[in-house]
Amino acid sequence: GGGLSIRKSLELTRAKKEDRVQGQGFGDDFVSFGANTPTDKSKTAEGGSASKGDKMAMDPAPPTDGMLRSTAGFEVNKKSPWSRGQAYNTRSSDKMVDLHMEILDFVSFIKPTKAEVKRRETLVDFMRQVCADLWPESELHVFGSYATGMFLPSSDVDMAAIGCNESPVTALNRLARVLRNDGNFDKIQVIAKAKVPIIKWDDRESGIALNICINQKDGIANTQWVLAKKAEIDPLEPILLVLKQFLYNRDLHETFTGGWGSYLLTMTIISHLQHHPGQGPDHTKAETNLGALLIDYLHLYGLRFNMERIGISVRDGGSFFQKRSQGRADA
């Protein structure tokens, strides 16, 4: 499938988290996935040969219609493997253009390879057969980031077994016995006392984490809604993937430790994009620069948004509300 294997990607990511390198500036704030692969400096972003003169003659002005296209920088940057060993310098006076280019390359780098997708498909097919054997009337559904396609190499595969004719905890314990007897899985854990009981485990070969809940349909319906928004709002996927990795590198991606889970992060991004003022003198043209959208998101939720008092709704074009008006105020 090309690219790093799932296990190698996860190992490099986890190793880097344990050995952080402190840096200066926005670019160094990202944590590398591992050592850079040597880059042929004679190649352009499109893969063709180019002399130094040809590179300097490249027009740095971004396209005006639709999403901006990716381009290569000119200086070596070993901390960002998605840059292919080059820094981002389009010579534009607007540095958000450089950030936009880097986001596009990061998304291209982090997107799953064919091998990674195939392994997840194989695991889901296996669990679908297991559930059919245990509960012939049941159906196994995937939901969450794997189902939307907006997942990282470190992301879980979320599944729901619908139509099980026994209690969730009983069903999960039966499933745990099957997984333990199979011998190909690690870290098998039934979390029975959670609001929604689940079983979690890791695939031994790839390191992929998986989980299953029983007879819970909310995640399936929510996933369909997010898929519709993904098709409707082009910047959603790249902004989401950058922020997912940003939170993951800082151990802020788990809700039970006080972080922001994937669904909450997705809702805040959708709300941000629904209310973004846009560009142009009359702000009627949608903003397509991903760098500007990312920085505006961080500015909104990092500095200006009062999370104790204000809630967000993404229904019907999006709105804000006072939590107190719905009896949910924290203040």
Side-chain angles (χ1 to χ4, degrees):
L4 294 175
S5 68
I6 303 167
R7 178 177 290 278
K8 191 63 176 177
S9 296
L10 291 168
E11 287 176 350
L12 290 174
T13 303
R14 289 166 181 165
K16 194 62 180 183
K17 287 179 65 183
E18 294 171 0
D19 186 23
R20 296 178 185 272
V21 178
Q22 299 297 327
Q24 299 290 329
F26 187 88
D28 291 350
D29 194 35
F30 286 96
V31 178
S32 170
F33 292 89
N36 246 14
T37 301
T39 301
D40 184 352
K41 298 178 185 178
S42 68
K43 303 296 184 181
T44 66
E46 290 74 23
S49 299
S51 66
K52 181 177 179 181
D54 292 334
K55 289 182 180 179
M56 297 305 292
M58 291 171 63
D59 183 2
T64 56
D65 296 327
M67 283 294 198
L68 298 176
R69 294 188 294 272
S70 179
T71 188
F74 305 105
E75 299 174 2
V76 173
N77 179 356
K78 295 183 178 180
K79 292 182 179 294
S80 305
W82 52 88
S83 69
R84 303 176 303 280
Q86 296 178 332
Y88 293 86
N89 181 5
T90 61
R91 306 195 308 278
S92 170
S93 60
D94 183 359
K95 291 305 175 184
M96 292 302 101
V97 173
D98 294 341
L99 180 55
H100 174 96
M101 301 303 184
E102 183 166 6
I103 290 172
L104 290 179
D105 285 339
F106 172 81
V107 171
S108 177
F109 173 84
I110 205 65
K111 290 283 284 184
T113 64
K114 291 180 180 179
E116 291 169 343
V117 171
K118 180 62 178 178
R119 185 58 186 171
R120 282 172 167 79
E121 290 174 348
T122 300
L123 290 168
V124 170
D125 289 342
F126 172 78
M127 293 313 304
R128 188 166 280 123
Q129 184 59 54
V130 168
C131 290
D133 292 341
L134 291 174
W135 310 287
E137 302 300 320
S138 71
E139 292 184 358
L140 186 70
H141 298 264
V142 294
F143 65 96
S145 61
Y146 171 68
T148 64
M150 298 186 289
F151 62 91
L152 302 175
S154 57
S155 295
D156 296 357
V157 176
D158 301 307
M159 295 170 280
I162 307 299
C164 298
N165 56 0
E166 53 191 349
S167 72
V169 174
T170 300
L172 294 175
N173 284 325
R174 287 185 67 191
L175 190 54
R177 287 192 291 272
V178 172
L179 294 175
R180 292 189 181 103
N181 291 335
D182 183 88
N184 290 312
F185 305 106
D186 291 324
K187 301 180 182 178
I188 301 166
Q189 180 183 12
V190 174
I191 305 176
K193 295 185 179 180
K195 182 178 180 181
V196 177
I198 65 170
I199 180 173
K200 302 174 67 174
W201 72 99
D202 288 356
D203 174 46
R204 185 172 294 167
E205 178 182 329
S206 65
I208 295 171
L210 306 98
N211 64 76
I212 287 182
C213 60
I214 303 296
N215 294 334
Q216 292 289 326
K217 299 181 179 180
D218 288 351
I220 301 169
N222 291 340
T223 296
Q224 294 303 311
W225 187 87
V226 171
L227 275 170
K229 288 299 176 184
K230 176 185 175 182
E232 174 187 332
I233 307 173
D234 287 340
L236 173 59
E237 180 175 13
I239 298 297
L240 177 61
L241 291 176
V242 169
L243 289 171
K244 274 189 174 186
Q245 190 66 46
F246 181 87
L247 294 176
Y248 179 81
N249 287 348
R250 290 153 184 79
D251 294 317
L252 294 173
H253 62 295
E254 297 282 7
T255 55
F256 65 86
T257 58
W260 278 30
S262 178
Y263 188 69
L264 172 59
L265 183 62
T266 302
M267 294 302 104
T268 59
I269 295 171
I270 290 174
S271 176
H272 167 60
L273 297 175
Q274 286 174 329
H275 295 285
H276 195 276
Q279 59 179 328
D282 53 1
H283 299 286
T284 58
K285 186 177 181 181
E287 179 62 77
T288 61
N289 185 299
L290 297 174
L293 291 172
L294 175 62
I295 295 301
D296 288 347
Y297 174 92
L298 296 172
H299 183 260
L300 171 63
Y301 290 108
L303 297 175
R304 301 188 63 83
F305 194 84
N306 189 334
M307 296 188 185
E308 292 184 349
R309 297 176 181 270
I310 305 299
I312 64 173
S313 171
V314 293
R315 297 175 179 172
D316 302 322
S319 62
F320 300 102
F321 61 88
Q322 292 279 350
K323 289 184 179 181
R324 183 171 297 170
S325 68
Q326 297 192 10
R328 294 155 52 184
D330 298 321

